[in-house]
Amino acid sequence: MATVVLVGILVVFPPQPQKSDQFDTIRALIRTELDHRKVVSMAVAVAKDGKILWEEGFGWADKERQVPATEHTMYSLASISKPITATGIMVLKERGKIDIDKPINDYLGEAKLLARIGNANDATVRRVANHTSGLQLHYQFFYADEPFKPPTMDETIRRYGVIMTPPGERYQYANQGYGFLGYVIERVSGKSYADFLREEVFLPLGMTHTSVNVAPGLERHQAIRYAADGTPLPFYDFDHPGASAVYSSAHDLIRFGMFHLKTRLPDQKAILKDETTDEMQRPTSVMGPETGYGFGWVVRDHPDGYRLVSHSGGMPGVRTLLTIIPAEKIAIAVLTNSTHGNPEMIVNEIIPIVRGKKRQQPRDPQPAPAETMKQTPAQFLGTWSGILKTYKEEIALTLQFKEAGEVHIHLAQQPTTVLNNVRFSDSTVTGRTTGEIGTEESKRGSYTIEFWLRLRGDVLNGVASAISVPGNRIAGATSHWVEVRRQSEKSAGSK
C-alpha cells in the first residue's frame, strides 16, 4: 500500500494498479475528482464490440475501514435500477404474463391507482414505464437509525398512487411508478422482486455482484454512501425499490449494458429477444429537445450524430451513470458513492476516446428562452378557492393572483404567504412556498411546497409537492392533488 508523508502527517491512499494505455488521461481526471471534489471513490468500466476494454476502481469503498474500491465493488445505483426493473417487466411480457399496453391496475391487488383527473385505465404499464401515467414527483428515504419505516406497497399505492394529470398528457418523472412496476413483478411472478431479478436477470447475465439492496453474503463488497460533508450515511431504504434499490458493480453493470447492446458475452443467456431490447430503446415520451424516454431508458440524439441510450442515478451519497451507444456497440459505466460525484463529465471524456473520433466543436448556444412573464396573465387574475388533498385530509386553499405577478396563498388556518419563483405560461403556473400539510412523511424534516397547476376552463388543478430542504439527509418528496375554482368578485370580497 502506497504511503506519502506530508509535514509529519501520514496520508494513506488505496493501492492503484500501474497501467498505461488510452485511458491514462481519464485516470488522471478521476484522481483529480477524488482529490479536489471530495469524491470518496469511483469505479469505471468500458466495453466496445463485445469486449470489456477497461474496468477499474479508485478511492475508498469504505474509507473508515480502508477498503479500496475495485471494479467489483457494489455501488448503490439509484435510478439505474429503472432499466433493470424494466428488463424484468419485459421478461414477463415475453412469457405472456404481462401486456404492457394494458392498465397497470390489472396487475395490482386491492390497492389501485386512483385518477383525480382522466381515466385510471389509461395508465398502462407502458405509460408508467415512460413517465406519462399522470403519477407525480415522489421519493422517500428511510434511514436505518431513524424510526420511520417504509409502508407496505399497498399502503404506498393508497397514499401516493394518485394520477394528477391525464395519462399521456405530459412527461413527469415518477419514482413510485417504478416502485409499482417492481410490485407488479412480484404479483405476476409469485416471487419477491429481489428473487425474481436475481434468478431471471442477474444470474443469467453473469451479474454475481448485483442485488436488490445488499444481499446476504455480499456485505463486504458494498460501497458506503457518503453525504455532502464527507460523512458516511446510514443505510437507507425506499417505498419505491423498483426505482432505486439495486446495487451493482462496474463490472456487472457493463455486462448489463453489453446485453442491451446485443453484444452479450459467451456466458450470458438471451433473457430477451433482440426486438424487445430495441423496443425498450425506442422513445415513447418527450422529455425535451432531442430527448425522450423509452421503456426504462433515456434516449438522446447527440450533436455529434449518434444516439445515446442511458440512465443516471442520483440521491444522497450516490451519483451514477450507464451509457450505451447502440450503433457503435459502446457501453460505459461510471459509479460513485459520493453526493459530489460527476459521472457525466467522465463519460463525456471517455466517449471520444472509445469512438476514435475527436469531439466536435459545440454548437452555437441556443437563444435563451423568453423571459418569464412579469405580469399575471389575464386568465389567472382574481381569487381561486378549493383544496389541497392529502391521503389524510382536505386542506382549504385560496390563491390570489395580483396584476404585477404576485400570488398570495392561504392554506387553512395558516398565515397567508407569497408564492415565490412564480412562472406563468398560457395554461400553467408554477411556484414555491412554505406551509404545513400534516402528513406523517412531512413531519420528518423541513420542506417547501412546490405547485404545478394547469388552467382548465374555470378550474386550476394539478400538484403540490412537499420537497425536503437540501442537506446531508434528505427525507424525500411527496405529491398531493390541488384543485381551485375561480371565485366571483362578490364571493371573493365576502371572504
Side-chain angles (χ1 to χ4, degrees), residues 175-201:
N175 280 302
Q176 79 271 44
Y178 271 83
F180 303 158
L181 291 175
Y183 191 42
V184 166
I185 287 174
E186 291 191 349
R187 292 187 53 81
V188 171
S189 71
K191 301 177 182 180
S192 72
Y193 170 68
D195 285 348
F196 181 86
L197 288 187
R198 178 172 54 83
E199 295 170 15
E200 306 294 346
V201 178

Side-chain angles (χ1 to χ4, degrees), residues 23 26-27 30 44-46 52-56 58 350:
F23 298 110
I26 308 301
R27 291 188 180 91
I30 291 171
V44 182
V46 180
I52 298 176
L53 304 181
W54 176 39
E55 48 186 0
E56 191 172 343
F58 302 80
I350 290 174

Side-chain angles (χ1 to χ4, degrees), residues 450-470:
E450 296 195 4
F451 287 84
W452 181 94
L453 303 175
R454 171 156 282 170
L455 183 63
R456 304 180 195 274
D458 278 344
V459 176
L460 269 173
N461 57 33
V463 187
S465 298
I467 303 174
S468 292
V469 174

Side-chain angles (χ1 to χ4, degrees), residues 400-437:
Q400 291 182 311
F401 291 86
K402 308 291 187 178
E403 286 189 2
E406 189 172 276
V407 183
H408 292 181
I409 181 167
H410 185 79
L411 276 171
Q413 305 304 313
Q414 300 171 43
T416 298
T417 60
V418 174
L419 202 62
N420 298 306
N421 304 108
V422 177
R423 301 286 187 272
F424 291 105
S425 74
D426 289 340
S427 62
T428 63
V429 58
T430 62
R432 179 187 303 127
T433 191
T434 57
E436 299 292 334
I437 60 171

Side-chain angles (χ1 to χ4, degrees), residues 105-119:
N105 277 344
D106 288 1
Y107 304 103
L108 299 177
E110 291 185 6
K112 306 284 190 184
L113 268 59
L114 171 68
R116 298 290 181 197
I117 187 170
N119 189 333

